[in-house]
Amino acid sequence: MPKEFEPYYAVIFTSKLTDENTDYDKMSEVMVNLAKKQKGFLGIESARSDIGITVSYWQTLEDIKNWKQNSDHLVTQKMGIEKWYSWYALKICRVEREYSFQRAD
Amino acid sequence: MPKEFEPYYAVIFTSKLTDENTDYDKMSEVMVNLAKKQKGFLGIESARSDIGITVSYWQTLEDIKNWKQNSDHLVTQKMGIEKWYSWYALKICRVEREYSFQRAD
């Protein structure tokens, strides 16, 4: 029997930085390490070219809400709005199916 | 009254390229332009650093299925597996809520 797929949640965070971003990378790393310690955290992936895309994965919507309200994270969110981000968009999604490919060699 | 949120769908495509990727960027651009012409297409965002993340947005699951089965897209998927991707993962998600920030100045 195929293993049943357990839905989980993804937060798609897309952003464009301002020019005032000298301390952004460092704080970003601190936040990733903090996120990893939160209940329900499943993973995080990031890439940045012209825009940045970070996708974090969580067990439940409650876990996402708790992470959003984490006090250290709130401070960083405030700095993001005041300084780092020209714009951002955040989408909360339910992952309904997935598949992957891994090269053999 | 607040406007009711209409759920839509996101395809999160994360990938790592092989070293054989000289023609990847060109084909990627062709595929993006082709995707934009498909029924139900809502948008696409990409970034690449160590890994690449592309998120495309669609009105329905049926639209995503049709795009997956588009004949030109199938040819490119085959090239991706044979040549371009060291690995990839694809997640199909239902976007349930969203918010955004835009700097005023």
Side-chain angles (χ1 to χ4, degrees), chain A residues 64-104:
Chain A
I64 293 170
K65 192 176 159 193
N66 288 339
W67 169 233
K68 187 184 175 190
Q69 293 172 350
N70 173 287
S71 58
D72 289 344
H73 190 199
L74 282 176
V75 171
T76 316
Q77 286 170 47
K78 193 163 175 287
M79 288 177 73
I81 285 176
E82 287 176 355
K83 194 170 166 188
W84 292 321
Y85 295 119
S86 173
W87 57 261
Y88 69 69
L90 196 148
K91 296 175 185 75
I92 295 175
C93 316
R94 183 178 141 111
V95 181
E96 305 205 331
R97 67 186 80 165
E98 62 187 338
Y99 56 91
S100 61
F101 160 74
Q102 171 74 56
R103 186 167 297 277

Side-chain angles (χ1 to χ4, degrees), chain A residues 25-57:
Chain A
D25 283 345
K26 190 178 171 186
M27 280 305 289
S28 176
E29 191 186 333
V30 171
M31 280 305 109
V32 168
N33 287 330
L34 185 61
K36 286 178 178 172
K37 291 176 191 160
Q38 304 308 302
K39 182 176 171 295
F41 175 87
L42 297 174
I44 190 163
E45 300 176 300
S46 282
R48 181 171 295 278
S49 322
D50 179 41
I51 64 164
I53 305 179
T54 295
V55 189
S56 60
Y57 302 98

Side-chain angles (χ1 to χ4, degrees), chain A residues 13-18 51 77 80-90, chain B residues 45 99-105:
Chain A
F13 183 79
T14 49
S15 66
K16 176 92 174 176
L17 296 179
T18 63
I51 64 164
Q77 286 170 47
I81 285 176
E82 287 176 355
K83 194 170 166 188
W84 292 321
Y85 295 119
S86 173
W87 57 261
Y88 69 69
L90 196 148
Chain B
E45 300 175 300
Y99 56 91
S100 61
F101 160 75
Q102 172 73 56
R103 184 167 298 278
D105 52 55

Side-chain angles (χ1 to χ4, degrees), chain A residues 46-53, chain B residues 13-18 21 24-25 28 45-54 84-88:
Chain A
S46 282
R48 181 171 295 278
S49 322
D50 179 41
I51 64 164
I53 305 179
Chain B
F13 183 78
T14 50
S15 66
K16 175 93 174 175
L17 296 179
T18 63
N21 58 31
Y24 177 78
D25 283 346
S28 177
E45 300 175 300
S46 282
R48 181 171 295 279
S49 320
D50 180 40
I51 65 163
I53 305 180
T54 295
W84 292 321
Y85 295 119
S86 175
W87 58 260
Y88 68 70

Side-chain angles (χ1 to χ4, degrees), chain B residues 16-88:
Chain B
K16 175 93 174 175
L17 296 179
T18 63
D19 294 332
E20 286 191 85
N21 58 31
T22 47
D23 46 359
Y24 177 78
D25 283 346
K26 191 178 170 187
M27 279 306 289
S28 177
E29 191 185 334
V30 171
M31 281 305 109
V32 168
N33 288 330
L34 186 61
K36 286 178 178 171
K37 292 178 191 159
Q38 303 308 303
K39 184 176 168 296
F41 175 87
L42 297 175
I44 190 162
E45 300 175 300
S46 282
R48 181 171 295 279
S49 320
D50 180 40
I51 65 163
I53 305 180
T54 295
V55 190
S56 59
Y57 302 97
W58 302 86
Q59 279 177 340
T60 69
L61 287 174
E62 186 70 18
D63 296 329
I64 292 169
K65 191 176 161 193
N66 288 340
W67 168 233
K68 187 184 174 190
Q69 292 170 352
N70 173 286
S71 57
D72 288 345
H73 190 199
L74 281 174
V75 171
T76 316
Q77 287 170 47
K78 191 162 176 286
M79 287 176 72
I81 285 176
E82 287 176 356
K83 193 170 167 187
W84 292 321
Y85 295 119
S86 175
W87 58 260
Y88 68 70

